[in-house]
Amino acid sequence: STAQRGGTSASESVNPAQEKQLVALEGKDPTCATFVIKKEDHTLGNVLRYLIQKNERVEMCGYSIHHPSDEKVHLRIQTLPSKNSELGLDCRTALKDSLEMLEGICDHMSEVFDKSSVESKVENI
């Protein structure tokens, strides 16, 4: 049977949209963690590494892809520890902040592209 083989039948199949795309492998404390981002590659990994590393409260950020055929980015974040909780930054917040920054960059680029496309069409008339 399918259940004995460890698979799922068609009626039990998981909707790909419901599958977790981000898995957090927590570290010893909130200042260090590894995040596994599924179905992504160097394009997102390198941009996130760059944006996260720009934060002055981040001590280290790096990413790896264990094998070229593996569609998983392993993103390691380590933030500076702080005795003052207001100054401290946990890894989840660093990742969330960088994703929001990336979203803003993409929105801006899209707006500039749309505006230049409209201007280009007007000039060609």
Side-chain angles (χ1 to χ4, degrees):
S1 95
T2 306
Q4 292 172 335
R5 291 191 304 261
T8 57
S9 68
S11 63
E12 300 170 343
S13 65
V14 176
N15 181 349
Q18 294 175 336
E19 185 179 341
K20 285 188 178 182
Q21 295 298 109
L22 177 69
V23 177
L25 307 175
E26 302 294 338
K28 61 182 166 86
D29 60 50
T31 65
C32 60
T34 298
F35 299 92
V36 179
I37 307 170
K38 297 178 182 179
K39 297 183 181 176
E40 291 297 341
D41 59 14
H42 292 283
T43 304
L44 183 64
N46 196 37
V47 169
L48 286 177
R49 179 206 53 81
Y50 174 77
L51 291 174
I52 292 168
Q53 194 65 45
K54 286 184 65 153
N55 187 322
E56 62 188 23
R57 295 181 294 171
V58 171
E59 184 173 22
M60 187 279 302
C61 181
Y63 80 95
S64 64
I65 296 177
H66 292 181
H67 190 275
S69 66
D70 191 13
E71 294 181 319
K72 294 178 192 171
V73 173
H74 297 256
L75 184 69
R76 178 72 176 173
I77 303 171
Q78 186 170 335
T79 59
L80 294 169
S82 176
K83 293 178 183 174
N84 182 345
S85 62
E86 291 180 16
L87 296 176
L89 178 70
D90 66 273
C91 293
R92 288 178 181 268
T93 303
L95 177 58
K96 184 176 184 255
D97 290 350
S98 69
L99 289 168
E100 289 172 353
M101 191 181 315
L102 180 58
E103 182 179 32
I105 292 168
C106 290
D107 289 345
H108 174 73
M109 289 177 65
S110 181
E111 289 170 13
V112 169
F113 177 79
D114 290 344
K115 183 180 176 185
S116 68
S117 294
V118 168
E119 289 172 0
S120 175
K121 287 178 184 176
V122 170
E123 290 174 1
N124 290 333
I125 293 179

